[in-house]
Amino acid sequence: MAKRGKLFVLTGPSGAGKGTILEHILKAAPNLFLSVSATTRAPRAGEQEGIHYFFLSREAFEERVKQGDFLEYAEYVGNYYGTLEKPVDERLDEGYDVILEIEVQGAMQIHQKRPDAVLVFVAPPSMEELSRRLYGRGTEDAQERERRLQTAEHEMTYKDSFDYIVTNEVLERAVGDLLAIFRAERCRNNPRQIQGEGNTQC
Amino acid sequence: MAKRGKLFVLTGPSGAGKGTILEHILKAAPNLFLSVSATTRAPRAGEQEGIHYFFLSREAFEERVKQGDFLEYAEYVGNYYGTLEKPVDERLDEGYDVILEIEVQGAMQIHQKRPDAVLVFVAPPSMEELSRRLYGRGTEDAQERERRLQTAEHEMTYKDSFDYIVTNEVLERAVGDLLAIFRAERCRNNPRQIQGEGNTQC
């Protein structure tokens, strides 16, 4: 049997740049699988089941929430989004590392449920810079921008719940930090033990 | 005041290659200070106080052991060797990372005393390879080689007490693993907190 992979969670406020960092990381780390989310929203043109999303009816989603099948989930603009635990564990059992890119609230659910997960919080260099980035996205509605900033400020208060904090000031440096975290975690002997069987990984 | 540095400890059995790895690391990480040991052995030609060692009389060494001044110490072939805590903490307070290269027993003392230390165990790829390496050093006495191997085997049983295990099969890879560990640890938010003040370092 292959050595079990590691579960990584990338989170942080909207505008911190976790999506861009993730793109670079997936290119540089071919052994890393991006988890596929489940959703109740309708498939868009070209979206394939099991590749872009697992598409579920609202009833099926709620039933699986009851069954405890989700690692994390949330409702957003009338639809559910979440991460099913089984496909993630299957990949890990095959020996692949798996990464989730999710919102802070979902990451906090994983923080409680999975002590084996490595949780990385991507932070903006400052709230001023975050404000500039959100503005740069062309959100012209000042009220909407204010709401997003408040959400981001609230999310920032959770940052110390995570194992690592990567400040995305210079993209290349943040990507390098993330790649170093993946490499280091493969050598990690978690948690410190007095003696006995550990998981030598590198 | 500068942000406090991190304390790294490099340990592992004799022949695992920690000295060679350390040489490469010190070249690649200019912000990393190698801790200077204290010893009761007489200075050799060219050895300078505070650079190669802190030279102490046996009485002074034992007195400072009593005072609790040592992070770790051990007796070896009739002389004491140890790491004074104060010079290490001074460097850390200045914001530098400090690395100690010490024997496994000394590292175990730090394991107890300093939960802030990052402990890295350098392991040989196998005991057969370790045997070959010790033999390659030209130790012609079979009995002495056997004694060293037994010590190494005993030291290997402690490896799961350490935060990271780096297997030194290919030197360049082991050095890369170590550098990744240093970089990742700078982003580390230790330990996981529910909320509150952490130490964002990257």
Side-chain angles (χ1 to χ4, degrees):
Chain A
M1 211 186 89
K3 216 174 312 186
R4 194 170 157 86
K6 281 239 176 189
L7 175 59
F8 293 98
V9 176
L10 200 61
T11 192
S14 166
K18 55 187 189 297
T20 313
I21 289 173
L22 183 67
E23 270 177 46
H24 284 76
I25 279 168
L26 290 173
K27 277 180 209 155
N31 232 26
L32 189 65
F33 269 87
L34 178 62
S35 165
V36 175
S37 295
T39 184
T40 56
R41 83 153 165 73
R44 291 178 189 146
E47 283 184 347
Q48 291 171 57
E49 168 71 15
I51 292 176
H52 299 92
Y53 283 98
F54 296 109
F55 294 101
L56 296 178
S57 71
R58 197 165 178 90
E59 295 68 35
F61 200 106
E62 287 174 348
E63 181 54 32
R64 298 196 69 169
V65 168
K66 269 191 223 152
Q67 302 287 331
D69 289 353
F70 280 96
L71 261 178
E72 57 83 30
Y73 76 99
E75 198 166 3
Y76 181 71
V77 206
N79 283 303
Y80 286 122
Y81 294 83
T83 306
L84 287 161
E85 195 156 19
K86 198 166 161 250
V88 168
D89 277 325
E90 283 170 354
R91 286 295 193 192
L92 295 176
D93 285 340
E94 288 162 9
Y96 295 106
D97 294 331
V98 176
I99 191 163
L100 273 59
E101 187 220 331
I102 55 177
E103 301 306 308
V104 175
Q105 295 309 315
M108 287 301 292
Q109 295 174 43
I110 295 178
H111 179 269
Q112 305 293 338
K113 275 182 103 159
R114 296 284 294 241
D116 62 318
V118 177
L119 305 169
V120 182
F121 188 95
V122 178
S126 67
M127 292 313 286
E128 293 68 34
E129 175 59 23
L130 189 72
S131 173
R132 267 192 295 276
R133 289 183 194 172
L134 290 174
Y135 192 69
R137 285 187 182 183
T139 309
E140 283 158 57
D141 184 340
Q143 207 176 339
E144 168 64 12
R145 197 155 62 91
E146 189 51 39
R147 196 193 57 76
R148 282 192 189 191
L149 258 180
Q150 277 175 9
T151 301
E153 265 167 22
H154 176 68
E155 288 173 334
M156 288 293 284
T157 65
Y158 289 96
K159 74 180 196 309
D160 293 320
S161 303
F162 298 96
D163 298 309
Y164 294 94
I165 304 176
V166 170
T167 302
N168 183 18
E169 185 158 16
V170 178
L171 179 65
E172 290 68 28
R173 225 185 99 195
V175 170
D177 286 340
L178 252 300
L179 292 173
I181 290 166
F182 297 153
R183 186 166 182 171
E185 281 291 336
R186 265 173 231 119
C187 304
R188 199 157 178 93
N189 195 27
N190 234 343
R192 270 195 204 181
Q193 296 166 11
I194 295 311
Q195 248 176 290
E197 208 45 56
N199 49 352
T200 318
Q201 303 211 19
C202 96
Chain B
M1 213 187 83
K3 216 175 313 184
R4 194 171 158 84
K6 281 239 178 191
L7 175 58
F8 293 97
V9 176
L10 201 60
T11 192
S14 167
K18 54 188 190 297
T20 313
I21 291 173
L22 183 67
E23 270 177 48
H24 284 76
I25 280 167
L26 290 172
K27 279 181 207 153
N31 232 25
L32 189 65
F33 269 88
L34 178 62
S35 164
V36 175
S37 295
T39 184
T40 57
R41 84 154 165 72
R44 290 177 191 148
E47 282 185 348
Q48 291 171 56
E49 167 72 16
I51 292 177
H52 299 92
Y53 283 98
F54 296 109
F55 294 102
L56 296 178
S57 70
R58 198 165 176 91
E59 296 66 38
F61 200 107
E62 286 174 349
E63 181 54 33
R64 298 195 69 172
V65 167
K66 269 190 222 150
Q67 303 286 331
D69 288 354
F70 280 96
L71 260 178
E72 57 83 32
Y73 76 99
E75 197 165 2
Y76 181 72
V77 206
N79 283 303
Y80 286 122
Y81 294 82
T83 305
L84 288 162
E85 194 156 21
K86 198 166 162 248
V88 168
D89 278 325
E90 284 170 354
R91 286 295 193 193
L92 295 175
D93 285 341
E94 286 162 13
Y96 294 106
D97 294 331
V98 176
I99 191 162
L100 272 59
E101 187 219 333
I102 55 176
E103 300 306 308
V104 175
Q105 295 308 316
M108 287 300 293
Q109 296 174 42
I110 295 179
H111 178 270
Q112 305 293 336
K113 275 182 105 159
R114 297 284 294 241
D116 62 317
V118 178
L119 304 169
V120 183
F121 187 95
V122 178
S126 67
M127 292 312 287
E128 292 69 32
E129 175 59 23
L130 189 72
S131 174
R132 267 192 295 275
R133 290 184 195 171
L134 289 175
Y135 191 68
R137 285 188 181 184
T139 308
E140 284 157 58
D141 185 340
Q143 209 176 340
E144 168 64 14
R145 197 157 60 93
E146 189 50 37
R147 198 193 56 76
R148 282 191 188 189
L149 258 180
Q150 278 177 9
T151 303
E153 266 168 21
H154 177 68
E155 288 172 335
M156 287 294 283
T157 65
Y158 290 95
K159 73 182 197 310
D160 294 321
S161 304
F162 298 95
D163 298 311
Y164 295 94
I165 303 176
V166 171
T167 302
N168 184 17
E169 187 158 13
V170 178
L171 178 66
E172 291 67 29
R173 226 186 99 195
V175 169
D177 286 340
L178 252 300
L179 293 172
I181 290 166
F182 297 153
R183 185 165 183 171
E185 282 291 335
R186 266 174 229 118
C187 304
R188 198 156 181 96
N189 195 25
N190 233 344
R192 270 195 202 180
Q193 295 165 12
I194 295 312
Q195 247 176 292
E197 208 46 55
N199 49 351
T200 319
Q201 304 214 20
C202 98

